[in-house]
C-alpha cells in the first residue's frame, strides 16, 4: 500500500451540499472554495459537472475566478454507462470540459448494487471502471476512484469488491477511496477491512465515511491506522442524512494527537475561523458543542474545574484551543466558585486576584440570580455589567427609565394584522425624552421606542442590530403564570462584534425590556462611548 504522502480531500461543495436544508449557489461555492484552500486541504471537490447545471457553471467560473494556492480542484462524476463507449459518454465528456485537473469517479463495488441498481453484469461494471479511468488518464487527468458501498460490498462478497479496487489501480487511478456510503460501519470493522485490502494491493487507499452510526470521524482515523493515506470529509460534518466525517475533527486529531502534518501551512490555527465563516455562507448556525471549533469546545463551568485551571489549564483540556484558533472560556453559573469568577474576570479584562470579598459577593449574586431564573452561561455582557457594578459601586448607566408601556391591538377576522404601540419615558443626556413607536409585536415596538429615545444623544446605537432572540419559559407547571427568560444577541455592525444579554420577568415583555436595555448599555460601554449624562465628577444626573 502506498503511504508515502497524505491527502486531505474536502467534499463540502458536493457531498456536503446534499444536506437537508442546504442550497449552495454558485456564488456561495466560489466564496467557500478559497476558505478551504486557506485551510490547507489538498483537494476541493467542486461538484458534478454535466449532471447538475449549477456545478457546470461553477467549474466554468472557477477556471477564471479562483486562484487556489494549496488545493487542486476536483470534478466528481460517474464511470461510463453500461454498454456505452467511453469517448461518446456525455457525462464523461462533461468531466473533461470542466477543465478540472483531478477527476473523482464514483463506481459500484458492491455486486448487489451492480446487478440491482445498475442492472448490468459484474464483468461489465469492471469494464466500465477500467475504460473510464484509462480514458481520463489518457486525457491527462489525475483520477481518484470512489468505491461506493465498498464496506457493505466487501462484507457480502470480498472477492468482487477487491476486484473493483484492483481494476481501478491497474487502469491508472492514483487513489481508490473506500466508501462507507451507508455510514453503518464501526471502527474495528473498518480497520480490519482496510488492512485486508491494503495487504492485497499496492496503490494508495482512502476513506470516505458517513456518520449514520455516529462513527464517521473514528472510522476515518481507524482507516488511517490501517494504512489509508487519503481522507475525505466535509467542513462541520455537513452531508446528507446525519452527515459526512467532520473534516475539521479529522485533521485536528491527525495533527494534534498523531503528529501528522496533513494540512499545508498554518491552516489548523485558522480552523475555527474558517469553520464559522463557512457556517455564515451556508446559513447554518454553528454547533456550539462541535469538537475543537464549537463555542463550548473549551468552555468550563464547574467550580472544581476552575480551581485546577488556575493552576494549569491543560489539566482539564485535551488540547490547546489556540492550536485550532479557538479559546478557553469560563462559564458563570450557580455551579461557579470564586476561582471561576476570577478566571472569568481575567477573560473579560479584570484582574480580581486577591479581592476575596469581591469574589464572594459576585459569586453569591450569580447563585442568587440563577435561582431566580437568570443564566450567564452565554450572557457574558450581562455578567460584565454585574461585575462592573460590584467593582465601581454602581451599574453603568447611560440613561434612566422613568416608565414604559405597550399596547397590542388586533382586528377581529384579521389575525395577521396585529399592531403594537410602545411608549417610553426616559432621562437621557440631561433631557426627559418621551418616545412612541409601532412594531409588529410588543417587543419590536419597545425596541423601536427605546432606540428612538436614546439615539439623539447616543447615535452610536444605530450600528447595533438585534440578531437573535431566544425565549425560555421557566417553571412550566405554573402555566401562563410562569417566569420567562429572554436572551438577546446584538451585533455592532461597525466593529463586527456580538454580545448577549439576559432578562428575566413574570412575562416576556418585562424580560425582553431588561435584556434590550442591557444590550444597548453594554454596546455603548464596549464601544468606549462617553457618558453624556454624567457631570464632570462622574455623577449621572439623569437617574436622580
Amino acid at each position: 500500500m502506498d503511504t508515502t504522502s497524505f491527502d486531505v480531500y474536502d467534499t463540502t461543495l458536493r457531498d456536503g451540499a446534499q444536506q437537508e436544508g442546504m442550497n449552495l449557489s454558485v456564488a456561495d461555492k466560489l466564496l467557500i472554495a478559497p476558505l478551504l484552500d486557506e485551510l490547507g486541504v489538498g483537494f476541493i471537490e467542486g461538484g458534478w459537472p454535466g449532471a447538475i447545471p449549477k456545478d457546470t457553471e461553477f467549474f466554468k467560473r472557477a477556471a477564471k475566478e479562483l486562484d487556489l494556492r494549496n488545493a487542486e480542484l476536483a470534478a466528481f462524476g460517474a464511470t461510463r454507462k453500461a454498454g456505452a463507449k467511453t469517448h461518446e459518454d456525455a457525462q464523461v465528456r462533461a468531466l473533461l470540459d470542466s477543465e478540472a485537473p483531478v477527476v473523482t469517479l464514483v463506481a459500484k463495488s458492491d455486486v448487489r448494487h451492480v446487478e440491482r441498481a445498475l442492472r448490468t453484469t459484474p464483468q461489465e461494471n469492471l469494464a466500465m471502471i477500467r475504460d473510464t479511468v484509462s480514458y481520463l488518464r489518457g486525457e491527462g487527468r489525475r483520477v481518484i476512484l470512489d468505491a461506493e458501498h465498498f464496506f457493505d460490498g466487501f462484507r457480502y462478497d470480498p472477492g468482487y469488491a477487491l476486484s473493483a479496487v484492483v481494476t481501478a489501480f491497474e487502469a491508472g487511478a492514483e487513489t481508490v477511496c473506500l466508501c462507507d456510503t451507508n455510514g453503518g460501519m464501526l471502527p474495528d470493522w473498518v480497520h480490519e477491512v482496510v488492512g485486508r485490502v491494503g495487504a492485497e494491493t499496492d496503490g494508495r487507499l482512502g476513506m470516505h465515511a458517513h456518520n449514520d452510526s455516529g462513527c464517521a470521524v473514528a472510522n476515518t482515523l481507524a482507516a488511517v491506522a490501517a494504512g489509508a493515506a487519503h481522507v475525505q470529509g466535509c467542513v462541520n460534518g455537513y452531508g446528507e442524512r446525519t452527515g459526512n466525517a467532520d473534516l475539521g475533527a479529522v485533521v485536528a486529531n491527525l495533527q494534534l494527537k498523531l503528529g501528522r502534518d496533513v494540512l499545508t501551512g498554518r491552516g489548523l490555527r485558522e480552523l475555527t475561523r474558517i469553520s464559522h465563516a463557512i457556517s455564515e455562507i451556508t446559513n447554518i448556525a454553528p454547533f456550539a458543542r462541535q469538537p475543537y471549533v464549537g463555542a463550548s469546545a473549551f468552555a468550563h463551568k464547574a467550580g472544581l474545574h476552575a480551581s485546577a485551571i488556575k493552576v494549569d489549564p491543560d489539566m482539564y483540556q485535551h488540547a490547546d484551543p489556540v492550536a485550532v484558533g479557538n479559546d478557553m472560556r469560563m462559564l458563570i453559573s450557580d455551579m461557579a466558585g470564586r476561582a471561576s469568577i476570577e478566571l472569568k474576570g481575567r477573560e473579560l479584562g479584570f484582574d480580581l486576584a486577591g479581592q476575596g470579598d469581591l469574589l464572594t459577593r459576585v459569586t453569591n449574586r450569580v447563585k442568587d440570580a440563577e435561582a431566580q431564573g437568570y443564566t450567564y452561561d452565554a450572557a457574558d455582557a450581562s455578567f460584565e455589567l454585574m461585575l462592573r457594578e460590584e467593582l465601581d459601586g454602581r451599574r453603568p448607566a447611560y440613561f434612566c427609565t422613568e416608565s414604559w408601556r405597550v399596547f397590542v391591538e388586533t382586528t377581529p377576522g384579521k389575525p395577521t394584522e396585529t399592531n403594537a404601540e410602545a411608549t417610553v419615558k426616559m432621562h437621557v443626556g440631561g433631557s426627559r425624552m418621551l418616545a412612541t413607536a409601532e412594531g409588529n409585536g410588543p417587543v419590536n415596538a419597545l425596541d423601536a421606542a427605546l432606540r428612538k429615545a436614546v439615539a439623539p444623544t447616543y447615535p452610536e446605537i444605530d450600528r447595533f442590530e438585534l440578531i437573535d432572540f431566544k425565549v425560555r419559559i421557566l417553571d412550566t407547571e405554573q402555566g401562563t403564570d410562569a417566569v420567562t427568560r429572554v436572551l438577546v444577541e446584538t451585533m455592532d455592525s461597525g466593529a463586527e462584534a456580538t454580545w448577549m444579554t439576559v432578562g428575566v420577568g413574570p412575562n416576556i415583555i418585562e424580560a425582553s425590556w431588561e435584556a434590550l436595555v442591557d444590550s444597548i448599555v453594554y454596546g455603548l460601554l464596549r464601544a468606549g462611548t462617553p457618558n453624556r449624562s454624567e457631570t464632570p465628577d462622574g455623577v449621572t444626573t439623569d437617574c436622580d
Side-chain angles (χ1 to χ4, degrees):
M1 186 189 304
D2 176 17
T3 58
T4 55
S5 61
F6 200 94
D7 297 335
V8 176
Y9 183 109
D10 181 272
T11 181
T12 302
L13 302 184
R14 200 273 307 174
D15 214 0
Q18 297 185 58
Q19 176 165 314
E20 183 177 4
M22 187 185 296
N23 184 23
L24 297 181
S25 67
V26 174
D28 291 336
K29 290 190 172 189
L30 290 169
L31 289 173
I32 292 173
L35 292 169
L36 298 173
D37 184 55
E38 185 181 355
L39 181 61
V41 302
F43 298 92
I44 298 172
E45 188 174 82
W48 192 329
I52 302 174
K54 283 195 302 185
D55 290 353
T56 302
E57 182 185 351
F58 167 77
F59 282 99
K60 183 178 180 180
R61 291 182 57 181
K64 301 176 183 178
E65 300 177 28
L66 289 183
D67 180 21
L68 302 179
R69 301 178 183 275
N70 300 312
E72 295 268 26
L73 198 60
F76 180 88
T79 57
R80 69 163 173 83
K81 293 181 175 62
K85 295 180 179 180
T86 308
H87 67 280
E88 295 178 351
D89 189 293
Q91 289 288 306
V92 176
R93 171 51 55 185
L95 292 171
L96 292 175
D97 291 343
S98 73
E99 301 184 29
V102 180
V103 172
T104 299
L105 292 172
V106 61
K108 301 295 185 185
S109 57
D110 184 336
V111 70
R112 295 167 296 182
H113 283 262
V114 172
E115 295 173 340
R116 301 175 193 175
L118 289 182
R119 297 186 179 182
T120 191
T121 66
Q123 289 308 310
E124 172 63 4
N125 179 59
L126 296 179
M128 292 157 60
I129 294 173
R130 181 183 303 108
D131 294 349
T132 312
V133 172
S134 61
Y135 175 73
L136 291 170
R137 290 288 292 132
E139 293 292 325
R141 300 300 194 271
R142 299 169 63 186
V143 178
I144 297 169
L145 186 115
D146 281 1
E148 189 180 33
H149 294 283
F150 181 83
F151 290 91
D152 292 319
F154 189 91
R155 286 159 68 88
Y156 177 77
D157 186 342
Y160 186 78
L162 187 60
S163 68
V165 175
V166 172
T167 299
F169 281 137
E170 290 177 344
E174 68 177 51
T175 301
V176 174
C177 190
L178 311 180
C179 301
D180 181 18
T181 310
N182 288 338
M185 294 296 109
L186 299 178
D188 286 349
W189 302 351
V190 169
H191 189 276
E192 177 188 359
V193 171
V194 173
R196 289 175 61 182
V197 175
E200 298 291 332
T201 60
D202 293 326
R204 177 196 300 270
L205 296 178
M207 182 67 192
H208 179 109
H210 284 254
N211 201 39
D212 298 74
S213 64
C215 294
V217 172
N219 285 342
T220 303
L221 297 175
V224 172
H230 171 111
V231 294
Q232 296 188 3
C234 298
V235 170
N236 299 327
Y238 294 145
E240 61 182 332
R241 304 188 310 278
T242 58
N244 290 48
D246 181 345
L247 198 67
V250 170
V251 297
N253 284 325
L254 288 172
Q255 294 204 181
L256 300 179
K257 307 294 186 180
L258 301 178
R260 304 183 66 157
D261 291 328
V262 299
L263 294 175
T264 302
R266 298 179 66 256
L268 189 65
R269 287 183 173 268
E270 303 299 324
L271 180 62
T272 299
R273 176 182 61 81
I274 290 171
S275 167
H276 292 181
I278 292 174
S279 291
E280 289 298 317
I281 298 170
T282 62
N283 199 30
I284 295 175
F287 178 46
R289 294 194 300 279
Q290 186 176 349
Y292 289 105
V293 301
S296 300
F298 299 96
H300 304 274
K301 187 169 185 176
L304 178 62
H305 286 205
S307 298
I309 289 170
K310 281 184 62 179
V311 178
D312 184 355
D314 292 339
M315 292 177 66
Y316 278 93
Q317 294 185 158
H318 72 102
D320 182 358
V322 175
V324 292
N326 208 338
D327 199 2
M328 183 184 77
R329 291 193 305 123
M330 294 304 303
L331 303 181
I332 300 303
S333 73
D334 58 358
M335 299 175 67
R338 298 192 341 171
S340 296
I341 300 298
E342 182 179 340
L343 285 170
K344 187 65 181 180
R346 185 187 306 170
E347 179 185 321
L348 297 174
F350 300 93
D351 184 4
L352 306 181
Q355 301 189 53
D357 291 343
L358 172 68
L359 292 171
T360 298
R361 292 199 309 272
V362 175
T363 300
N364 291 337
R365 280 195 63 175
V366 167
K367 293 182 177 182
D368 290 344
E370 295 228 347
Q372 299 172 40
Y374 290 85
T375 178
Y376 299 102
D377 280 359
D380 281 0
S382 288
F383 174 75
E384 182 173 334
L385 293 177
M386 175 199 292
L387 180 59
R388 286 177 178 272
E389 182 178 354
E390 290 294 335
L391 282 167
D392 301 335
R394 61 192 181 102
R395 196 174 185 85
Y398 287 85
F399 49 82
C400 287
T401 304
E402 180 181 317
S403 66
W404 58 264
R405 63 184 180 185
V406 61
F407 299 96
V408 178
E409 180 182 31
T410 60
T411 303
K414 298 180 179 179
T416 60
E417 295 186 11
T418 299
N419 298 309
E421 179 184 291
T423 299
V424 299
K425 298 177 183 178
M426 311 191 72
H427 296 265
V428 190
S431 300
R432 183 174 183 268
M433 302 294 292
L434 186 151
T436 300
E438 295 181 323
N440 57 14
V443 177
N444 179 233
L446 274 174
D447 184 36
L450 172 61
R451 290 168 178 270
K452 191 174 181 180
V454 174
T457 303
Y458 298 105
E460 293 88 347
I461 71 169
D462 290 340
R463 306 196 313 257
F464 302 168
E465 178 185 356
L466 192 154
I467 59 174
D468 202 2
F469 181 83
K470 297 182 177 73
V471 179
R472 176 75 180 273
I473 304 300
L474 309 175
D475 301 324
T476 54
E477 66 274 8
Q478 299 297 322
T480 56
D481 194 35
V483 173
T484 303
R485 178 169 67 218
V486 167
L487 286 168
V488 167
E489 186 173 8
T490 307
M491 178 177 68
D492 183 339
S493 59
E496 295 185 353
T498 64
W499 57 89
M500 192 168 284
T501 51
V502 61
V504 172
N507 56 68
I508 188 173
I509 302 176
E510 289 191 48
S512 299
W513 174 260
E514 181 181 11
L516 289 171
V517 168
D518 273 7
S519 74
I520 289 181
V521 170
Y522 179 82
L524 292 171
L525 189 68
R526 187 187 182 284
T529 306
N531 192 327
R532 301 175 185 120
S533 297
E534 285 186 346
T535 61
D537 58 359
V539 177
T540 303
T541 59
D542 288 335
C543 300
D544 293 341

